[in-house]
Amino acid sequence: MNISDWIYWGLIKRLKKGYSFERWSLRHLHHKDYLDHLAEKAVAYNKMIKRPCHVRVNSVWIDGTPQAFATARTNKVKCELADLLYIVEELDSNGDVIRKKGVLIQGKNTIHPKKIDSGNSTKKERTLFQKLDRKKDLVLKVGTNDSSKVIGKYSLDLNVMEGLSDCVHIPEHREQ
């Protein structure tokens, strides 16, 4: 982050409180300039490992929907899947897709960088991400009711017994 980023976040924090601050933060991550920055970083990484490519990054605001219906170790879970969905496509020089991945982003406000609040939605989301029973399908629905339209059912790798730990890998990155 550079100094203008810190000024930007400081301004947002002063102007927006609580729920609004989370949405403003997510809005920043959803902005075209930020998505372009992510694409540039992906191209630079691929160039460094000698795999030239073009990258497209798009985001979809999914706050509130889809709703995840799942069985966890402790109980049934109904909660939003995430706030943003990033779709990253890497293309070769012919424009053919080399790789396409999705990244889900769940936004949370916190005063301490290593501690997330323990509100009701946070508890549900943590249960989904940490205690998901892989023997049962993860079901995504349009709404919060049991009778809501099903978007899809997903069977996840049974080699991981709980949670979604195999679905996430964020390498540590430090600015130089």
Side-chain angles (χ1 to χ4, degrees), residues 72-88:
R73 176 178 49 181
T74 53
N75 58 346
K76 299 250 186 224
V77 180
K78 282 194 242 182
C79 65
E80 71 178 10
L81 184 62
D83 291 314
L84 289 177
L85 167 63
Y86 283 170
I87 301 165
V88 181

Side-chain angles (χ1 to χ4, degrees), residues 89-174:
E89 291 182 332
E90 295 179 43
L91 307 142
D92 64 16
S93 58
N94 297 325
D96 297 324
V97 175
I98 299 170
R99 183 176 305 151
K100 185 174 185 175
K101 291 184 177 185
V103 178
L104 295 167
I105 305 292
Q106 178 62 53
K108 290 291 171 200
N109 287 333
T110 181
I111 294 170
H112 191 283
K114 294 187 177 187
K115 188 175 181 182
I116 297 175
D117 75 16
S118 59
N120 193 36
S121 68
T122 300
K123 286 178 185 172
K124 289 179 185 179
E125 291 151 0
R126 289 187 84 147
T127 299
L128 174 67
F129 290 111
Q130 295 173 350
K131 300 175 183 171
L132 180 69
D133 182 352
R134 296 294 188 109
K135 296 177 200 121
K136 309 251 168 84
D137 287 344
L138 172 67
V139 178
L140 298 181
K141 294 185 177 185
V142 174
T144 58
N145 297 329
D146 289 333
S147 60
S148 295
K149 181 181 176 186
V150 173
I151 297 170
K153 293 183 180 186
Y154 300 89
S155 298
L156 302 173
D157 187 354
L158 290 175
N159 292 323
V160 176
M161 294 310 294
E162 292 180 331
L164 297 174
S165 60
D166 63 316
C167 299
V168 178
H169 174 69
I170 301 173
E172 188 173 315
H173 174 75
R174 290 197 172 110

Side-chain angles (χ1 to χ4, degrees), residues 20-90:
S20 294
F21 180 59
E22 181 179 301
R23 295 197 121 218
W24 270 92
S25 301
L26 291 165
R27 181 178 174 267
H28 171 76
L29 296 175
H30 188 61
H31 193 272
K32 182 186 180 320
D33 292 343
Y34 188 79
L35 299 176
D36 290 346
H37 179 73
L38 284 176
E40 288 170 12
K41 292 290 187 179
V43 167
Y45 173 79
N46 281 298
K47 185 177 181 181
M48 182 183 75
I49 62 170
K50 300 189 181 349
R51 186 176 66 197
C53 68
H54 301 280
V55 175
R56 291 189 295 224
V57 180
N58 293 302
S59 69
V60 180
W61 191 274
I62 60 170
D63 184 28
T65 59
Q67 290 284 310
F69 288 69
T71 303
R73 176 178 49 181
T74 53
N75 58 346
K76 299 250 186 224
V77 180
K78 282 194 242 182
C79 65
E80 71 178 10
L81 184 62
D83 291 314
L84 289 177
L85 167 63
Y86 283 170
I87 301 165
V88 181
E89 291 182 332
E90 295 179 43

